[in-house]
């Protein structure tokens, strides 16, 4: 039950990443930030570029003084890091874009506020690539496991035939044990698929963003989100394995007692 509670907490934190500017802003799937011209990994004069002119245009646009420095995308929100170090988070990309445009108007250059439209890219990543449905299913299945595990009988004292007291713990219902095992295995499978999908998508999105902007921006996979996600998967695996071990042990004990 404790591990189920930990799993639900971890997945809830993962889903709530980037919804507020406190510690949750560090729980993100991918971040995109403008790179300084001096540290760019790709030069517009690279011989591999067939049309270096487009790369030069991207560089000239992106290497100005933009209002935002970084955009972080989570399952349910986005976070912006402004050039002055302030951080803004919201579940609405439109609201964040309006704030950035307002900053650009004050600086008499709306386009320079977000020259490569990182907010739009992050919003498309959140809406079209990321899928949080499997994580919600995993949370529900884990919660059902938690409820059913609470019905398992606990230790209590009984008086033996010789009049002595002893602590005993009856076996749980065979049907409930099977249901809990199925739920835990399904939760583990859904969790594994969703976190693996999250990891692959975040890595691919960051790499493609760097390539399509000719190295003008750099993408990073959220370390905290990945650790939380895989930790939840490990917890789900432990629950499923523990239940399977318990069921097999009870089967062996029942077989031994029947033989006696």
């Amino acid at each position: 039950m404790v591990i189920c509670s930990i799993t639900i907490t971890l997945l809830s934190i993962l889903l709530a990443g980037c919804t507020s500017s406190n510690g949750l802003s560090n729980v993100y799937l991918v971040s995109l930030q403008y790179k300084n011209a001096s540290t760019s990994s790709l030069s517009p004069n690279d011989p591999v570029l067939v049309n270096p002119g487009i790369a030069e245009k991207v560089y000239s646009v992106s290497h100005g003084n933009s209002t935002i420095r970084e955009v972080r995308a989570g399952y349910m929100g986005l976070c912006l890091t402004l050039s002055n170090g302030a951080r803004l988070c919201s579940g609405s990309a439109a609201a964040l874009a309006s704030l950035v445009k307002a900053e650009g108007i004050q600086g008499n250059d709306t386009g320079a506020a977000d020259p490569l439209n990182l907010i739009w890219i992050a919003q498309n990543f959140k809406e079209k690539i990321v899928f949080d449905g499997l994580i919600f299913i995993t949370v529900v299945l884990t919660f059902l496991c938690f409820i059913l595990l609470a019905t398992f009988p606990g230790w209590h004292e009984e008086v033996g035939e010789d009049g002595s007291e002893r602590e005993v713990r009856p076996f749980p219902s065979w049907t409930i044990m099977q249901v809990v095992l199925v739920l835990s295995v399904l939760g583990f499978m859904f969790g594994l698929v969703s976190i693996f999908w999250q990891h692959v998508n975040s890595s691919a999105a960051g790499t493609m963003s760097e390539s399509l902007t000719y190295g003008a921006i750099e993408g990073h996979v959220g370390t905290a989100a990945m650790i939380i996600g895989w930790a939840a998967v490990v917890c789900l695996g432990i629950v499923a394995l523990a239940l399977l071990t318990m069921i097999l042990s009870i089967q062996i004990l029942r077989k031994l007692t029947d033989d006696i």
Side-chain angles (χ1 to χ4, degrees):
M1 291 178 64
V2 174
I3 298 179
C4 288
S5 302
I6 294 174
T7 302
I8 294 173
T9 302
L10 290 175
L11 293 178
S12 299
I13 294 173
L14 180 61
L15 289 171
C18 288
T19 55
S20 65
S21 56
N22 52 20
L24 291 176
S25 63
N26 294 319
V27 182
Y28 58 91
L29 302 180
V30 66
S31 73
L32 304 173
Q33 65 182 80
Y34 290 102
K35 187 186 295 185
N36 294 329
S38 59
T39 61
S40 297
S41 59
L42 178 63
S43 170
N45 297 321
D46 194 308
V48 179
L49 292 174
V50 178
N51 181 18
I54 186 65
E56 293 176 357
K57 292 180 181 179
V58 172
Y59 269 66
S60 62
V61 170
S62 64
H63 289 150
N65 295 321
S66 60
T67 302
I68 66 172
R69 187 172 61 197
E70 180 187 20
V71 179
R72 295 178 175 181
Y75 277 107
M76 303 175 67
L78 301 176
C79 284
L80 306 182
T81 302
L82 304 182
S83 56
N84 59 8
R87 184 166 292 171
L88 303 174
C89 297
S90 174
S92 172
L96 293 175
S98 299
L99 292 174
V100 171
K101 288 179 181 178
E103 292 288 337
I105 292 174
Q106 292 178 3
N108 298 322
D109 190 355
T110 305
D114 185 13
L116 295 183
N117 295 312
L118 296 190
I119 299 176
W120 180 82
I121 296 174
Q123 172 68 5
N124 275 271
F125 168 78
K126 184 173 76 73
E127 295 292 336
K128 298 181 180 180
I129 299 178
V130 172
F131 178 66
D132 56 4
L134 293 180
I135 296 184
F136 280 107
I137 294 175
T138 303
V139 171
V140 172
L141 292 175
T142 307
F143 180 73
L144 292 176
C145 285
F146 179 85
I147 296 298
L148 292 177
L149 285 173
T151 65
F152 281 21
W155 293 98
H156 64 275
E157 292 185 352
E158 284 188 357
V159 179
E161 296 179 355
D162 56 355
S164 61
E165 294 184 352
R166 57 185 177 182
E167 289 188 349
V168 296
R169 184 175 186 177
F171 290 149
S173 168
W174 183 250
T175 302
I176 293 180
M177 284 193 298
Q178 289 181 318
V179 171
V180 174
L181 178 61
V182 171
L183 291 175
S184 63
V185 171
L186 287 176
F188 172 73
M189 293 175 61
F190 280 121
L192 178 63
V193 171
S194 62
I195 300 304
F196 179 75
W197 185 269
Q198 162 191 308
H199 204 149
V200 172
N201 284 344
S202 299
S203 300
T207 302
M208 289 303 298
S209 297
E210 290 182 1
S211 300
L212 294 176
T213 56
Y214 304 97
I217 66 174
E218 55 183 349
H220 299 283
V221 176
T223 304
M226 297 306 157
I227 292 176
I228 291 173
W230 286 113
V233 171
V234 170
C235 289
L236 289 168
I238 292 174
V239 171
L241 183 61
L243 287 170
L244 178 61
T245 303
M246 182 183 68
I247 290 175
L248 294 177
S249 300
I250 291 176
Q251 281 184 328
I252 294 174
L253 288 174
R254 283 179 172 172
K255 185 176 181 180
L256 292 175
T257 53
D258 291 342
D259 292 340
I260 295 175

